[in-house]
Amino acid sequence: MMHESDSVRALPIITFDDDELLTAASASAAASADAGVAVDPATGAEIGRFPNQSIADLEAAIDTAEAVQPEWAALDDRVRRAYLHRAADAIEASSEALARLLSREQGKPLNGPNARFEVGACAVWTRSAADTELPVEVLIDDGENHAELHYRPIGVVGAISPWNWPMMISIWQIAPSLRMGNTVVIKPAETTALSVRALVAVMNQVLPAGVLNVVTGPGRTVGAALTRSPKVGKIMFTGSTPVGQQIIEASAANVTRLTLELGGNDAGIVLPDVDPAAIAQDLFWGAFINTGQTCAALKRLYVHDDVYDRVVEELAAVASSVPMGVGLDEGNLLGPVQNRNQFDVVDRLVESAKASGARVVLGGDPDYDAPGNFYPTTLVADIDPHNDLVLEEQFGPVLPIIRYTDLDEAVRLANELDYALGSSVWSADRDAALAVAARLRAGTTWINSHGGLHPAVPFGGAKKSGYGREFGVEGLKAVSEPHVING
Ligand code: NAD
């Protein structure tokens, strides 16, 4: 049932505790023999089960989303905004249980820019999607001609999210889509299915039935079927570049609209005029936020020879002081790598750096027999700019630091990869930093920081980091069909 805006703002909300949330997220999984198992990456212990759904389940969810979409789209915009605000209220009411489940399943600690921060961002981005204005644009009105641009819903949006920021990235896909009158079917990553199911269960306390649907199953079957469905008008995908490329191919048959947030291997360039001690904290968190498992994290750092040794020293001092451990322990700020496949990628890349003669300043010595997927915070200095650890996306708690003397060469190296999501320039001279920024190819270039996002500022990639932009007005347009009324 769909309501008026005042009654939406008064819809009842439950504050879930840990057990209630796990039960809501698990749904009927316990009874199912082939249920998916959610594993704590800090310990290897099972934390819960979720339904391993089929393509038939997916098709049923798409049919539901398609059936209710006209009624959802027909609501006054104020009512849809009210629903989003009430969904954000619901997220906030259960924020502690959501953060604890996220911490257990994803591995990220509760504190720092981690689980509580991620759940808080879910509410912030939901409210921002509700409050962003996208009025009808009058394009010409000169007495002879009148043309207006309206933004209509596309229909059913298929959302596919990754395991690194599973709740927040899902919200980035869900909230603008709903605001614009679309309905949503979301397919979370297999290793963070419970987190997204929990988030959806919390939001669905208030959203009308069928508007937001979650289907948990394998990407290569259920995810692929979502991208091929003729009933899905738009795919919002965040994940790896190879899967993004498969989705582009799948979209051809139905000319499905796409927003693709793909891989990143962000460069940071440190100019010789910096104060190494002053920037070390921000450099560290730019690279190691979410234990390095962030699309737009600093993944290769180019430092001028004049300040190289001091920057490495200051970074090592910060890095060695930041505690890593089990997420639910309030003292930790870094956690495990989320899954063993990713741990193996990180390990392979560090071994390649070691074999090349690069200098391991910190870390690089995981305890392979310890429980969980902990990879120690690792800094690798004096590394060849074409070592695999520099060229490939490590997506873990490791930073290669490359020495340069010629700025043109640093810019060339920063720009030479297929990835172009983010980048950063670090300097005491803003004009000098801006001049370098103008030469970098990226969706975003930060000055004296790396990776900060704001719900009103468009975010997305260049080159093989994807296309389309999320957030703000651009983000609403991305989940709409522009419609000109001429006359
Ligand atoms: P992934 O591409 O392996 O999986 C992402 C999602 O796609 C999962 O839900 C998966 O089940 C699904 N999937 C897999 N195969 C599919 C197919 N054939 N068709 C449809 N769906 C399919 O990525 P991941 O390992 O979960 O995430 C890590 C990657 O995501 C990194 O490369 C990272 O840089 C990138 N990422 C990018 C952004 C961004 O905003 N640009 C944000 C976060 C992560």
Side-chain angles (χ1 to χ4, degrees):
M1 194 174 86
M2 307 207 188
H3 304 74
E4 288 305 310
S5 56
D6 286 347
S7 53
V8 170
R9 294 306 298 255
L11 286 169
I13 283 171
I14 296 170
T15 297
F16 288 97
D17 67 19
D18 289 359
D19 290 342
E20 290 163 344
L21 189 65
L22 192 56
T23 304
S26 307
S28 53
S32 162
D34 71 340
V37 177
V39 174
D40 183 338
T43 61
E46 175 178 330
I47 58 175
R49 295 191 170 219
F50 56 88
N52 202 3
Q53 290 174 283
S54 64
I55 291 177
D57 296 325
L58 172 78
E59 286 169 351
I62 295 172
D63 286 347
T64 301
E66 188 185 43
V68 303
Q69 192 270 331
E71 195 185 345
W72 176 246
L75 290 177
D76 190 291
D77 189 39
R78 279 171 305 186
V79 180
R80 281 197 304 273
R81 290 175 179 220
Y83 273 117
L84 286 178
H85 276 291
R86 197 61 182 147
D89 294 342
I91 291 168
E92 283 167 348
S94 291
S95 60
E96 191 57 18
L98 284 166
R100 291 173 64 81
L101 178 57
L102 175 62
S103 177
R104 290 177 71 198
E105 186 182 41
Q106 203 286 332
K108 63 184 68 192
L110 291 170
N111 294 317
N114 290 301
R116 289 182 177 127
F117 167 86
E118 179 167 350
V119 174
C122 288
V124 168
W125 256 267
T126 300
R127 294 194 197 284
S128 171
D131 292 341
T132 301
E133 301 291 344
L134 183 54
V136 174
E137 295 170 33
V138 176
L139 305 169
I140 320 176
D141 189 23
D142 61 5
E144 259 179 65
N145 305 287
H146 184 88
E148 296 177 344
L149 184 54
H150 295 246
Y151 289 94
R152 313 287 192 203
I154 296 174
V156 177
V157 172
I160 301 176
S161 57
W163 47 258
N164 57 340
W165 293 89
M167 290 186 183
M168 185 174 74
I169 289 175
S170 297
I171 282 289
W172 293 351
Q173 301 171 332
I174 293 167
S177 300
L178 294 182
R179 163 69 198 291
M180 294 312 294
N182 306 287
T183 52
V184 174
V185 177
I186 186 157
K187 211 293 295 165
E190 292 87 323
T191 57
T192 47
L194 271 185
S195 295
V196 177
R197 290 182 64 88
L199 178 72
V200 169
V202 166
M203 296 175 78
N204 274 344
Q205 292 179 78
V206 297
L207 293 174
V211 162
L212 172 58
N213 309 276
V214 57
V215 179
T216 36
R220 65 181 186 287
T221 53
V222 175
L226 182 59
T227 66
R228 285 195 303 265
S229 171
K231 297 178 178 176
V232 172
K234 166 94 192 187
I235 293 288
M236 302 282 292
F237 174 74
T238 300
S240 62
T241 297
V243 174
Q245 288 167 320
Q246 290 174 34
I247 291 174
I248 293 170
E249 287 178 14
S251 74
N254 302 307
V255 196
T256 312
R257 277 75 180 127
L258 301 177
T259 294
L260 300 175
E261 300 283 3
L262 308 179
N265 193 348
D266 292 11
I269 299 182
V270 177
L271 303 188
D273 65 357
V274 297
D275 173 354
I279 64 170
Q281 280 280 347
D282 288 339
L283 277 177
F284 177 79
W285 285 111
F288 289 88
I289 182 168
N290 199 29
T291 314
Q293 301 160 103
T294 298
C295 50
L298 181 48
K299 294 182 179 138
R300 45 196 176 113
L301 184 63
Y302 299 85
V303 180
H304 193 275
D305 186 46
D306 287 358
V307 285
Y308 187 88
D309 292 337
R310 285 176 53 226
V311 167
V312 170
E313 201 177 295
E314 295 289 347
L315 256 177
V318 175
S320 54
S321 73
V322 179
M324 177 185 282
V326 175
L328 290 184
D329 178 338
E330 297 274 351
N332 290 324
L333 295 173
L334 297 168
V337 176
Q338 203 274 329
N339 55 74
R340 203 66 190 180
N341 283 346
Q342 193 60 40
F343 177 98
D344 291 342
V345 169
V346 171
D347 190 45
R348 170 176 63 78
L349 292 175
V350 174
E351 289 306 316
S352 124
K354 282 185 192 167
S356 76
R359 178 162 60 97
V360 177
V361 178
L362 186 73
D365 53 350
D367 178 353
Y368 298 103
D369 299 326
N373 303 325
F374 287 100
Y375 197 94
T377 307
T378 299
L379 296 175
V380 180
D382 293 317
I383 184 168
D384 182 304
H386 292 117
N387 184 267
D388 286 349
L389 177 58
V390 180
L391 299 181
E392 293 183 33
E393 183 184 21
Q394 68 275 42
F395 219 67
V398 179
L399 181 65
I401 310 167
I402 305 108
R403 191 189 292 264
Y404 78 88
T405 49
D406 175 8
L407 180 60
D408 290 343
E409 173 68 357
V411 169
R412 198 187 63 71
L413 291 170
N415 282 336
E416 75 177 347
L417 303 187
D418 283 340
Y419 289 127
L421 185 58
S423 59
S424 57
V425 186
W426 303 72
S427 171
D429 177 347
R430 182 171 165 77
D431 289 339
L434 290 175
V436 177
R439 299 170 63 194
L440 293 176
R441 187 83 192 276
T444 305
T445 299
W446 289 273
I447 309 290
N448 292 328
S449 69
H450 197 115
L453 301 177
H454 187 285
V457 179
F459 173 71
K463 298 205 268 184
K464 289 188 184 168
S465 289
Y467 50 71
R469 291 293 179 269
E470 295 185 281
F471 312 165
V473 178
E474 295 302 318
L476 294 186
K477 290 181 180 174
V479 284
S480 312
E481 204 65 85
H483 183 192
V484 171
I485 302 294
N486 202 332

